[in-house]
C-alpha cells in the first residue's frame, strides 16, 4: 500500500492521492481551501490526555503503545479500517502539523496501514 506522511504545511502534490488530516485540531495558519483535505477523521486522533502526556515528555515508544490501544476502540478501529480500504484503492497521504512527523501519531497510523 502506498501510504505516506506529510506535513500539512507542504503544498499538495499530484501523487498525494487521498489526503487525510489526522490531527484533532485544525492546523494554525492554513486555510481549509489551501490544505486540499479529502477527509478529517477526528476519531483516529490520540486523546487529549495522551497527546498532553507525550508532549509533556513521555517516550515515543510508550506513546505508541498507548495510542495503538486507543485505536483498538470500536469507533477508531472502524475509521482505521476505512483508511485501509482507501489505501488499497490508491495513494493515501496522512497529513499532520507535527514538526516531527516521523515520531508522531501520523507515523504510527501509517505503519499500521502499511502492515
Amino acid at each position: 500500500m502506498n501510504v505516506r506522511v506529510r506535513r500539512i504545511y507542504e503544498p499538495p502534490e499530484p501523487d498525494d492521492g487521498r489526503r487525510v488530516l489526522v490531527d484533532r485540531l485544525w492546523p494554525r495558519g492554513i486555510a481549509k481551501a489551501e490544505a486540499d483535505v479529502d477527509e478529517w477523521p477526528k476519531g483516529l486522533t490520540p486523546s487529549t490526555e495522551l497527546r498532553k502526556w507525550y508532549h509533556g515528555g513521555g517516550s515515543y515508544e510508550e506513546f505508541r503503545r498507548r495510542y495503538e490501544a486507543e485505536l483498538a476502540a470500536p469507533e477508531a478501529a472502524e475509521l482505521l479500517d476505512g483508511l485501509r480500504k482507501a489505501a488499497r484503492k490508491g495513494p493515501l497521504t496522512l497529513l499532520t502539523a507535527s514538526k516531527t512527523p516521523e515520531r508522531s501519531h501520523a507515523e504510527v497510523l501509517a505503519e499500521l496501514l502499511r502492515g
Side-chain angles (χ1 to χ4, degrees), residues 24-25 45-59 63 66 70 105:
R24 184 170 300 270
L25 304 174
T45 63
S47 66
T48 300
E49 297 80 16
L50 180 56
R51 190 172 40 82
K52 286 182 179 181
W53 173 84
Y54 181 47
H55 293 295
S59 74
F63 166 78
R66 292 180 186 189
E70 288 184 357
H105 66 288

Side-chain angles (χ1 to χ4, degrees), residues 15-104:
D15 60 344
D16 279 350
R18 186 160 189 78
R19 292 172 51 89
V20 180
L21 177 62
V22 294
D23 289 350
R24 184 170 300 270
L25 304 174
W26 189 263
R28 291 180 187 201
I30 189 160
K32 290 183 181 182
E34 291 175 28
D36 193 24
V37 170
D38 297 306
E39 189 177 351
W40 186 16
K42 295 178 190 175
L44 273 179
T45 63
S47 66
T48 300
E49 297 80 16
L50 180 56
R51 190 172 40 82
K52 286 182 179 181
W53 173 84
Y54 181 47
H55 293 295
S59 74
Y60 179 71
E61 292 73 25
E62 181 63 15
F63 166 78
R64 179 186 189 92
R65 187 189 69 72
R66 292 180 186 189
Y67 181 43
E68 286 179 356
E70 288 184 357
L71 291 172
E75 178 191 359
E78 187 175 324
L79 290 168
L80 190 58
D81 189 47
L83 286 185
R84 273 192 193 98
K85 289 176 184 172
R88 287 186 193 115
K89 293 178 184 176
L92 182 71
T93 300
L94 304 179
L95 302 167
T96 182
S98 174
K99 292 179 183 175
T100 54
E102 66 280 356
R103 293 190 58 81
S104 73

